[in-house]
Amino acid sequence: MEKFKRLKNEGNDFVKMGEYEEAANKYSECMKLNTEECTIYTNRALCYLKLDKYEEAKRDCDHVLQREDSNIKAFYRRALAYKGLQVRKKSMAGI
């Protein structure tokens, strides 16, 4: 559990510095230790949104909402992921 907390804090620090790829990697490492902690998924979803990885962000939010069907952060970030996917779909249609 100590390693989990350390990795989560490192991920949070990377987010504060705007290093979203590194933060996502730390959160992924956390998931190997504990798959039950929903905040790790919503945090990683935030990183994926910042990296324009909308499908991955949506997947993490879907995972959280299966466990916690009223998680506001997961709903909000999933909505942002859907928005990003729609924008991408529209720009691809114009190519």
Side-chain angles (χ1 to χ4, degrees):
M1 199 62 172
E2 189 62 38
K3 184 177 180 180
F4 175 86
K5 287 181 185 178
R6 182 178 53 78
L7 289 169
K8 182 180 176 185
N9 288 335
E10 288 173 9
N12 293 344
D13 290 341
F14 278 124
V15 167
K16 291 174 190 170
M17 294 185 293
E19 302 289 337
Y20 300 110
E21 191 72 49
E22 290 84 354
N25 291 336
K26 292 294 179 182
Y27 296 137
S28 294
E29 288 182 51
C30 284
M31 290 171 192
K32 293 176 187 172
L33 301 172
N34 180 356
T35 60
E36 302 298 314
E37 177 93 23
C38 288
T39 57
I40 296 302
Y41 289 88
T42 56
N43 289 358
R44 190 172 73 170
L46 170 69
C47 296
Y48 285 151
L49 288 169
K50 297 290 188 179
L51 295 167
D52 297 332
K53 295 181 176 182
Y54 303 115
E55 190 60 48
E56 293 88 339
K58 183 186 132 350
R59 193 176 315 122
D60 277 355
C61 293
D62 287 342
H63 177 82
V64 171
L65 291 169
Q66 286 177 351
R67 295 173 182 270
E68 296 179 3
D69 62 357
S70 61
N71 187 301
I72 300 300
K73 281 186 182 179
F75 272 119
Y76 178 69
R77 291 179 181 162
R78 185 171 69 175
L80 293 175
Y82 276 123
K83 182 179 178 183
L85 287 167
Q86 288 301 316
V87 168
R88 179 178 291 158
K89 190 176 181 180
K90 286 179 184 176
S91 19
M92 293 299 277
I95 293 177

